[in-house]
Amino acid sequence: MAPPIALPETFARAVAGLRSATPRPEIVLEEVGAPQRLAPYAFALSAAVLRDDDEVATGRLILLHDPAGHEAWQGTLRLVTYVTAELEVDLASDPLLPGVGWTWLTDALDAQGAGHRAIGGTVTQTLSTRFGELAGPPAAGDIEIRASWTPLRADLGPHLLGWCTLLASTAGLPPPGVTALPRRSAGAA
């Protein structure tokens, strides 16, 4: 039997920080396989955001570590995320949505004190209308946020909580402690 491989302390501490943070109850996290070709060490989490037992957003957070550092990262650790959610058509078609989506990420990291640098990414909004054999449901909209950033410290608990805040915003969840009002049906006065 081969001896266990010793992980670099920085990477081990970063993974422990991701594992130690507790998200709000609507967000279900699961450790998943991480891509192996992006960095010598990698760790990944997937998330599902549930509202009334329906999955309303999903995401993936990947931690990369290269002990030699990476010039583009400006450090040895890098967090990479992909978040997606279905949106109401009027919101998905709003030309301000990409800027708002990006602000959800940066504000969430700042609110959690998750210091970072070298942040970059894209926000994509899509509208889909079905035709022919696929006709049926009305038009649907989506938002996708892809981003990466370099944490300033190896304690990644605040970064995980910031990422969970991004997931909640993308899913349209109310802030913690606030109860959403029930939606009225179209015929209600």
Side-chain angles (χ1 to χ4, degrees):
M1 178 180 280
I5 298 172
L7 297 175
E9 182 182 339
T10 300
F11 181 71
R13 195 168 53 245
V15 170
L18 292 175
R19 287 178 171 156
S20 70
T22 304
R24 55 191 286 177
E26 301 95 337
I27 300 175
V28 178
L29 298 179
E30 178 182 357
E31 291 184 23
V32 294
Q36 298 301 307
R37 295 183 183 175
L38 301 176
Y41 301 93
F43 175 80
L45 293 169
S46 71
V49 182
L50 305 174
R51 185 174 47 218
D52 300 325
D53 295 327
D54 291 327
E55 187 176 278
V56 293
T58 59
R60 189 168 177 149
L61 183 68
I62 302 167
L63 167 65
L64 303 174
H65 176 57
D66 186 341
H70 197 287
E71 186 177 334
W73 297 357
Q74 299 176 23
T76 63
L77 294 172
R78 189 78 173 163
L79 288 166
V80 180
T81 189
Y82 170 77
V83 172
T84 186
E86 258 188 58
L87 298 175
E88 294 177 13
V89 172
D90 57 337
L91 182 57
S93 63
D94 188 328
L96 300 176
L97 179 63
V100 170
W102 188 254
T103 300
W104 287 337
L105 170 62
T106 58
D107 285 356
L109 293 173
D110 292 344
Q112 294 296 330
H116 59 277
R117 66 175 156 247
I119 190 169
T122 63
V123 178
T124 305
Q125 63 194 94
T126 58
L127 289 174
S128 300
T129 304
R130 299 169 192 249
F131 296 97
E133 295 294 317
L134 296 177
D142 293 305
I143 184 172
E144 295 177 355
I145 301 170
R146 296 175 185 263
S148 63
W149 64 93
T150 298
L152 297 181
R153 294 187 315 267
D155 175 12
L156 298 188
H159 292 268
L160 179 75
L161 294 175
W163 181 64
C164 287
T165 300
L166 167 66
L167 284 160
S169 295
T170 306
L173 296 180
V178 174
T179 302
L181 296 173
R183 293 184 178 194
R184 295 183 351 166
S185 65

